[in-house]
């Protein structure tokens, strides 16, 4: 039962590949320090979808510590720590960095790239290590907790949101299938690409769960005080703007409904005001960072997330 000063909260996790280690830090701190606020729904795309299912796996059975351990364990195990993996990671980041700077580099389809196959296999293994997808359909705690994972159907250009029992390891892999690094994922005869290209993250569906507040963990910095002029900075800013486009559209729609409720244009008890809050990774990183699995880099992002969540909760409660 939610008290008078407690809120029903929905959380949206924006995609951003490796940068969503920040999201994992944010969520781990929120789960432990949010007080009496009840998390009623969580959504995500790409790396944000990974974080969302790691949290859901614990919260749905009322085990917050399990959710926190999932977040920490997954990102620790994903990071490149042994010498061979560190070397592979460095080569991959260097290749992408040279490509974005306009240097000629070998081009290979993800369907012909053994490293793309290996990367997807490892991501599947890690997800199944921490999340019991076989039990998704019938695992319920004392409270129903909704989950939504965003992807895009590449054969129809339609956004798609997997929810509830439709959230499987394949749908999370589909949400993280960023082209041209990974091939599409086939689910029930349809082909899907990364949720970064669709609703990033799904926000409109969160309103179905009647939250008082939606907290958005935003990876892509909305602010750019200077004109990007180098090729790499232009690419970085283009990617940030693309990633924020759908998010801002969905936030704008929710805020429009809030305004219509306030001025009496909507007089329907089924609609209620929803506050929007953002927890922002406000340090810009080059787009190649989204595929960087360096252990020191990911650990730092996780700690940044913890700090950002501490500040958010302190300001909110203050």
């Amino acid at each position: 039962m939610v008290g008078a000063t407690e809120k029903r909260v929905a959380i949206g996790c924006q995609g951003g590949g490796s940068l969503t280690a920040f999201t994992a830090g944010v969520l781990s701190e929120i789960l432990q320090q949010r007080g009496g606020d009840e998390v009623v729904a969580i959504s995500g795309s790409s790396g944000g979808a990974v974080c969302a299912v790691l949290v859901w796996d614990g919260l749905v059975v009322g085990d917050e510590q399990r959710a926190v351990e999932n977040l920490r364990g997954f990102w620790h195990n994903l990071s490149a720590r042994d010498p061979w993996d560190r070397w592979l990671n460095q080569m991959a980041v260097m290749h992408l960095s040279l490509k974005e700077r306009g240097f000629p580099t070998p081009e290979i389809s993800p369907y012909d790239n053994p490293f793309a196959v290996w990367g997807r296999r490892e991501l599947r293994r890690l997800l199944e290590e921490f999340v019991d997808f076989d039990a998704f359909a019938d695992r319920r705690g004392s409270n129903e907790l909704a989950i939504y994972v965003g992807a895009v159907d590449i054969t129809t250009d339609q956004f798609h949101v997997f929810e509830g029992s439709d959230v499987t390891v394949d749908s999370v892999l589909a949400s993280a299938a960023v082209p041209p690094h990974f091939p599409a994922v086939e689910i029930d005869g349809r082909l899907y690409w990364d949720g970064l290209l669709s609703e990033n993250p799904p926000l409109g569906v969160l309103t179905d769960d009647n939250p008082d507040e939606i907290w958005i963990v935003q990876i892509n910095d909305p602010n750019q005080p200077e004109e990007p002029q180098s090729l790499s900075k232009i690419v970085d800013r283009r990617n940030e703007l693309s990633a924020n486009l759908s998010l801002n559209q969905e936030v704008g729609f929710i805020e429009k409904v809030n305004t219509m409720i306030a001025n009496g244009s909507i007089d329907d008890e089924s609609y209620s005001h929803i506050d929007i809050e953002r927890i922002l990774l406000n340090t810009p990183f080059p787009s190649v960072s989204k595929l960087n699995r360096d252990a020191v880099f990911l650990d730092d992002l996780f700690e940044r997330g913890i700090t950002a969540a501490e500040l958010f909760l302190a300001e909110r409660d203050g």
Side-chain angles (χ1 to χ4, degrees), residues 12 49 54 89 93 149 153 171 179 218 232 234 236 285 294 314:
L54 292 169
N89 179 67
V93 171
V149 168
D153 185 332
S171 61
Q218 185 169 348
S232 61
I234 290 171
D236 289 342
F285 289 96
D294 177 76

Side-chain angles (χ1 to χ4, degrees), residues 133-162:
F133 288 98
D134 290 337
F136 244 63
D138 53 21
R139 282 180 58 192
R140 293 292 184 268
S142 58
N143 297 305
E144 187 78 13
L145 175 63
I147 182 165
Y148 307 97
V149 168
V152 61
D153 185 332
I154 65 173
T155 61
T156 64
D157 79 358
Q158 296 296 308
F159 300 163
H160 186 83
V161 177
F162 298 94

Side-chain angles (χ1 to χ4, degrees), residues 110-111 113-122 182-183:
Y111 294 89
N113 187 347
F115 290 107
V117 175
W118 173 81
R120 173 165 292 172
R121 184 176 65 245
E122 285 300 294
F182 297 101

